[in-house]
């Protein structure tokens, strides 16, 4: 999530490319967050949590 937010800031503030910032927001941040709510995303989280134990 931190990386996605940095991407949004970079594209918006540094490159002044709002369309790229939109992609970073919609695809990188919101898209990945939505994926983690799906069954494959939940399996990934479960496996990762087990790996951390």
């Amino acid at each position: 999530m931190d990386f996605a937010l940095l991407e949004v800031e970079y594209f918006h503030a540094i490159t002044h490319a709002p369309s790229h910032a939109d992609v970073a927001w919609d695809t990188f941040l919101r898209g990945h967050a939505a994926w983690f709510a799906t069954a494959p995303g939940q399996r990934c989280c479960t496996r990762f949590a087990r790996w951390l134990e």
Side-chain angles (χ1 to χ4, degrees), residues 4 7 10 15-16 23-24 36 40 49:
E7 288 284 294
Y10 171 78
T15 68
H16 304 287
V23 169
F36 281 108

Side-chain angles (χ1 to χ4, degrees), residues 7-45:
E7 288 284 294
V8 172
E9 179 182 19
Y10 171 78
F11 287 125
H12 181 72
I14 305 299
T15 68
H16 304 287
S19 63
H20 294 167
D22 289 344
V23 169
W25 178 259
D26 289 329
T27 304
F28 300 162
L29 183 66
R30 294 180 65 218
H32 283 108
W35 180 81
F36 281 108
T38 66
Q42 289 295 300
R43 285 193 300 271
C44 178
C45 289

